[in-house]
Amino acid sequence: MGDQAEVISEQPKQRFRLTERQSKFARDVGGVVLGVLIALGIGEIAEAVRWQWRISSSTQAMRAELAGNRYNFAERRAYQSCVQRRLGELGAILTEARRTHRLPDIGAIGDPGRRPTETTALDTATGEGVLLHMPRAEARAYSSNYSMAAYYDQEALSEIAPWATLALLQGAPGEIDGDLLATLLDAWTQARTRARWVGLIAEQSDEALKAFGIPIEELPAGATYEALTGRIAKRNLLCSPLIVDGKPYQAKPAS
């Protein structure tokens, strides 16, 4: 062995080859995987398109609904001063009745009324999960404006009872007993307090919707906000003169 060099022969590298059957199987599997990936991609695109359509449709419906709600706020703002004036007139009459224990012949006094706010579009969008797919700030703005509308509706509803009690003043001239007078004075106090609060909510809600780009439902193209609110006010009985003893009421000067 000594000086004899050891010769190691190189073994030829063997290349891995698929059989025809294996190649066909690999092609079939690859085709299936590629088809699944393509289908998933198309499905995701289709789902995104569907959500965009739902968002667009819901947004259009909610903006139209909020435009109707904004009309309610504009309407209240239009005759808020009439509400305050009528309550001032009724307060003066009740103050005089405390002194004389008599009521004059009072005509129709009117009332603020209540036009319910609508939430159908929001309820549908919430139920379908649309708000979750909107930009967060936009979804929050819609929720906030609808919350204000619901709060306004609740507070406007609370005005009905005191104004219904004050309606007892209509067409009931003559002596008034102490219990009824106390009831009317309590209703007047409630009506005055709630009127101020409802008027403030209407103003804030109207301004918030205006800032959000929501128009007023019945505002014709080119018409001014002042013209619309003036037209609304004229339709409300509260803005008409209070008829007492057959003529427009005028408060007696303080003695």
Side-chain angles (χ1 to χ4, degrees):
M1 305 275 302
D3 298 333
Q4 186 177 0
E6 185 176 351
V7 178
I8 300 175
S9 61
E10 275 189 29
Q11 296 295 324
K13 294 181 179 178
Q14 294 190 4
R15 300 178 63 185
F16 177 75
R17 290 177 176 272
L18 295 174
T19 65
E20 182 62 29
R21 184 175 180 181
Q22 289 172 329
S23 296
K24 182 177 183 303
F25 177 75
R27 287 194 299 272
D28 290 344
V29 170
V32 170
V33 171
L34 181 61
V36 169
L37 292 175
I38 292 173
L40 287 174
I42 292 174
E44 288 179 0
I45 293 172
E47 184 69 6
V49 170
R50 279 195 292 270
W51 276 114
Q52 286 300 317
W53 179 85
R54 288 174 185 169
I55 290 172
S56 176
S57 178
S58 295
T59 298
Q60 185 177 3
M62 287 190 292
R63 292 185 73 84
E65 194 167 70
L66 285 173
N69 290 344
R70 189 182 171 197
Y71 179 88
N72 296 352
F73 307 143
E75 181 179 51
R76 180 55 185 254
R77 292 185 73 179
Y79 61 74
Q80 177 66 11
S81 61
C82 300
V83 175
Q84 301 288 0
R85 183 172 61 250
R86 182 56 44 86
L87 286 170
E89 293 167 341
L90 297 179
I93 290 171
L94 288 170
T95 298
E96 180 67 12
R98 291 179 66 180
R99 187 179 67 83
T100 64
H101 300 286
R102 296 187 64 84
L103 285 175
D105 186 7
I106 304 170
I109 65 174
D111 61 71
R114 171 179 168 268
R115 194 188 302 274
T117 56
E118 298 293 338
T119 62
T120 303
L122 175 70
D123 294 340
T124 301
T126 302
E128 294 179 350
V130 174
L131 295 183
L132 298 176
H133 290 78
M134 280 184 171
R136 183 174 298 179
E138 185 179 1
R140 190 182 296 116
Y142 278 111
S143 297
S144 175
N145 281 295
Y146 269 104
S147 294
M148 286 292 289
Y151 185 47
Y152 169 82
D153 201 41
Q154 172 187 328
E155 292 302 310
L157 184 63
S158 72
E159 285 188 299
I160 293 177
W163 279 92
T165 301
L166 289 174
L168 297 173
L169 288 165
Q170 299 172 154
E175 291 188 4
I176 180 171
D177 65 54
D179 290 341
L180 178 56
L181 181 57
T183 298
L184 289 168
L185 285 167
D186 180 62
W188 176 80
T189 301
Q190 291 184 45
R192 185 179 60 170
T193 301
R194 291 173 181 174
R196 290 172 179 170
W197 184 236
V198 173
L200 179 60
I201 297 170
E203 180 180 351
Q204 292 178 341
S205 301
D206 186 30
E207 292 298 327
L209 286 175
K210 179 182 178 181
F212 193 45
I214 302 295
I216 299 175
E217 186 177 56
E218 292 190 15
L219 186 63
T224 64
Y225 181 83
E226 291 74 17
L228 176 68
T229 54
R231 179 163 59 88
I232 292 172
K234 289 179 181 177
R235 296 202 300 253
N236 195 290
L237 180 61
L238 287 170
C239 296
S240 301
L242 178 64
I243 304 302
V244 176
D245 291 332
K247 55 184 181 294
Y249 176 72
Q250 289 187 339
K252 294 181 181 179
S255 55

